[in-house]
Amino acid sequence: QVQLVESGGGLVQAGGSLRLSCATSGRTFSSYAMGWFRQAPGKEREFVAALSWSGVSTGYADSVKGRFTISRNNAKNTVYLQMNLLKPEDTAVYYCAARQYGGSRWSQHESSYWGQGTQVTVSS
C-alpha cells in the first residue's frame, strides 16, 4: 500500500508561484512513478506532469510545459510540483498519483494510488 498526502495549495495571483508537495508512505517509494493530475470544476481530471519510477524521464502536459517542474526526493519519500507563471486557467484541485514501475506519462485510469487533493486558485 502507498498513501499520498498533498500540501502546498492556496490562493495566488496570476504570474505567481506555488510549490506542491506530496508525501508518501510505504517502503517501495522508489519503485513508483509519481505524477500530478488536476481537475477543474465541470471538467475531467487531466494529466499535468509525471516522473518515471527510475527518475530519468519527465513528462508534462503542453499547457504547463516550461512553467511547471516535477521532482522527487527519495530520501524524504516526497515528490514536488513547482508551478511558476501561474495563470487563472491553472485553477483546479491538484492530485498526486502513483503508478508502480510507471513511465513519464499515464492516464488517470492507470494510476494505482491517489492523494486527497489540494486546491490551487489563481486570481486574475
Side-chain angles (χ1 to χ4, degrees), residues 60 64-68 84-85:
Y60 297 93
V64 308
K65 202 171 293 183
R67 299 187 297 123
F68 290 11
N84 299 328
L85 299 175

Side-chain angles (χ1 to χ4, degrees), residues 70-84:
I70 187 171
S71 62
R72 67 191 292 166
N73 185 326
N74 284 344
K76 295 185 176 181
N77 287 353
T78 301
V79 63
Y80 306 96
L81 184 68
Q82 178 66 43
M83 306 186 294
N84 299 328

Side-chain angles (χ1 to χ4, degrees), residues 13-65:
Q13 288 188 330
S17 298
L18 281 175
R19 189 177 80 156
L20 305 183
S21 298
C22 175
T24 74
S25 64
R27 292 177 291 179
T28 58
F29 174 72
S30 60
S31 69
Y32 282 85
M34 301 300 299
W36 290 93
F37 290 71
R38 66 187 182 187
Q39 187 166 19
K43 294 187 177 182
E44 290 192 359
R45 192 171 298 188
E46 63 176 2
F47 170 83
V48 175
L51 182 61
S52 64
W53 76 272
S54 65
V56 173
S57 301
T58 56
Y60 297 93
D62 289 343
S63 58
V64 308
K65 202 171 293 183

